[in-house]
């Protein structure tokens, strides 16, 4: 959990542009410290649950070598400096928001983003710790009757998720997510938005484990994800590809507002293509 943000400045007049972010951090009860680049390197206990933001390449290198999460601030006086393997950069400190800093901290520390919540569920990014729960869900024959299963080898599935986190979440900022029940934190399925090769609109995907089916979870989760896609991601249309015979999912998509358009072949399998929105 992010508890503290430390700003370390080489350029002193940056402070005048920090009024908004310092006020927002105070309102969120996140400690904020402003230090000079001439200060000493902090002790290990001072770096726990802490994100650093700096315009100093020297400081960025020190922190990176100690595996401490750090974001760089680029301005006209430091663009020629060598910021070693910097993953995140800020260019307008006056416009940065606390949420953006928190999300960057989660990325840098390998923690999942919580995407949204519904009345009964939490939808967050998938982690490798979710794998065993996925195998429990996919063990039911009815779950894999109309969709691909997981890798037979657990290590291969973990490697796939690691690549997905690195290449999909970090690039797009969205994808297929893990669905948990709010009351006990139990993983009950997966759902999200993704891109299929050759298609020009995002695809809704979902699977809910058998013990939680017929309770409205899929509709609740998918409704929230579609709303998120419209409001936060700017999408105005979606598709769903359902294997022929998957009438339960077709009925759910119909309830969500999707309309059947055509049959298509994908990798040798027949799918029903359904669309929603401005087509």
């Amino acid at each position: 959990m992010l508890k503290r943000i430390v700003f370390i400045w080489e350029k002193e007049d940056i402070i005048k542009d920090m009024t908004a972010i310092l006020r927002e951090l105070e309102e969120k009860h996140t400690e904020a410290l402003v230090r000079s680049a001439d200060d000493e390197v902090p002790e290990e206990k001072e770096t726990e649950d802490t994100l650093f933001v700096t315009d100093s390449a020297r400081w960025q290198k020190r922190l990176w070598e100690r595996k401490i999460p750090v974001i760089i601030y680029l301005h006209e006086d430091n663009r020629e400096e060598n910021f070693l393997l910097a993953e995140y950069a800020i260019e307008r400190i006056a416009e940065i928001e606390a949420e953006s800093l928190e999300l960057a901290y989660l990325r840098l520390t390998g923690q999942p983003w919580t995407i949204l919540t519904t009345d009964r569920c939490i939808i967050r990014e998938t982690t490798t710790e979710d794998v065993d729960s996925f195998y429990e869900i996919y063990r039911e024959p009815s779950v894999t009757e109309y969709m691909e299963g997981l890798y037979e080898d657990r290590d291969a599935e973990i490697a796939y998720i690691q690549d997905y986190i690195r290449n999909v979440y970090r690039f797009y900022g969205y994808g297929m997510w893990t669905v948990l029940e709010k009351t006990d934190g139990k993983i009950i399925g997966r759902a999200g938005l993704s891109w299929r090769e050759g298609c020009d609109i995002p695809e809704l995907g979902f699977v809910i484990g058998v013990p939680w089916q017929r309770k409205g979870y899929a509709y609740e989760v998918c409704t929230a994800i579609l709303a998120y896609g419209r409001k936060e991601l700017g999408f105005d249309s979606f598709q769903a590809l359902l294997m022929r015979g998957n009438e339960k999912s077709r009925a759910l998509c119909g309830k969500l507002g999707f309309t059947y358009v055509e049959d298509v072949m994908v990798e040798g399998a027949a799918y029903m293509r359904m669309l929603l929105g401005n087509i």
Side-chain angles (χ1 to χ4, degrees):
M1 178 180 175
L2 178 61
K3 296 180 180 178
R4 181 188 306 107
I5 298 179
V6 178
F7 299 92
I8 301 177
W9 300 139
E10 193 90 54
K11 186 177 180 182
E12 295 181 359
D13 65 356
I14 296 174
I15 298 175
K16 65 181 173 55
D17 297 323
M18 297 180 60
T19 303
I21 184 60
L22 292 177
R23 183 187 303 115
E24 187 179 1
L25 291 172
E26 182 179 6
E27 291 172 353
K28 294 176 69 67
H29 304 291
T30 300
E31 183 181 2
L33 303 175
V34 180
R35 300 176 59 175
S36 165
D38 295 329
D39 289 350
E40 296 295 325
V41 177
E43 299 291 334
E44 184 174 348
K45 64 181 180 179
E46 297 179 86
T47 67
E48 294 177 359
D49 303 318
T50 301
L51 172 69
F52 287 80
V53 183
T54 185
D55 67 335
S56 166
R58 174 170 53 90
W59 265 94
Q60 189 267 339
K61 182 175 184 293
R62 288 176 176 175
L63 295 165
W64 180 83
E65 289 176 342
R66 291 174 57 183
K67 303 186 186 306
I68 297 170
V70 55
I71 297 174
I72 62 170
Y73 173 44
L74 292 175
H75 50 71
E76 67 276 8
D77 295 335
N78 70 353
R79 290 184 181 276
E80 301 303 319
E81 295 188 36
N82 179 21
F83 287 98
L84 179 69
L85 298 177
E87 294 189 57
Y88 290 94
I90 299 169
E91 293 191 277
R92 298 178 184 86
I93 196 70
E95 299 176 12
I96 195 66
E97 297 177 345
E99 183 181 14
S100 298
L101 295 176
E102 291 171 6
L103 292 177
Y105 173 78
L106 292 175
R107 278 280 185 268
L108 290 168
T109 55
Q111 300 179 65
W113 292 4
T114 295
I115 305 303
L116 55 91
T117 60
T118 67
D119 288 343
R120 297 181 291 173
C121 299
I122 297 170
I123 301 167
R124 63 155 170 77
E125 292 180 339
T126 294
T127 71
T128 54
E129 286 74 22
D130 300 340
V131 166
D132 290 336
S133 295
F134 290 164
Y135 276 106
E136 288 183 21
I137 290 170
Y138 280 74
R139 191 174 293 122
E140 291 285 346
S142 61
V143 170
T144 54
E145 183 178 4
Y146 296 111
M147 67 175 59
E148 294 182 3
L150 307 176
Y151 285 99
E152 291 187 11
D153 180 64
R154 185 178 182 277
D155 290 339
E157 185 65 30
I158 289 176
Y160 169 78
I161 290 175
Q162 289 172 332
D163 287 342
Y164 196 88
I165 293 169
R166 186 182 308 111
N167 299 322
V168 177
Y169 288 160
R170 288 196 173 218
F171 184 79
Y172 290 105
Y174 60 89
M176 286 295 292
W177 299 307
T178 296
V179 181
L180 305 91
E181 200 168 34
K182 267 185 181 178
T183 54
D184 58 8
K186 179 77 172 177
I187 292 174
I188 68 171
R190 309 168 83 177
L193 299 169
S194 59
W195 290 92
R196 191 178 290 266
E197 187 175 353
C199 296
D200 57 0
I201 59 175
E203 180 177 340
L204 175 68
F206 53 88
V207 57
I208 297 296
V210 171
W212 301 276
Q213 292 179 9
R214 300 182 181 277
K215 298 180 180 180
Y217 281 108
Y219 179 76
E220 178 179 323
V221 166
C222 290
T223 297
I225 288 173
L226 291 171
Y228 179 87
R230 294 186 186 97
K231 181 179 180 180
E232 302 296 334
L233 304 178
F235 299 136
D236 58 9
S237 57
F238 307 86
Q239 72 171 354
L241 294 181
L242 312 175
M243 293 187 71
R244 294 296 299 175
N246 190 355
E247 295 303 321
K248 289 182 180 178
S249 292
R250 180 172 181 170
L252 172 61
C253 285
K255 187 177 179 181
L256 291 167
F258 284 80
T259 301
Y260 167 79
V261 176
E262 60 184 343
D263 284 357
V264 295
M265 296 295 294
V266 178
E267 297 180 353
Y271 287 83
M272 300 176 286
R273 185 169 187 246
M274 303 185 73
L275 299 179
L276 170 67
N278 299 325
I279 309 302

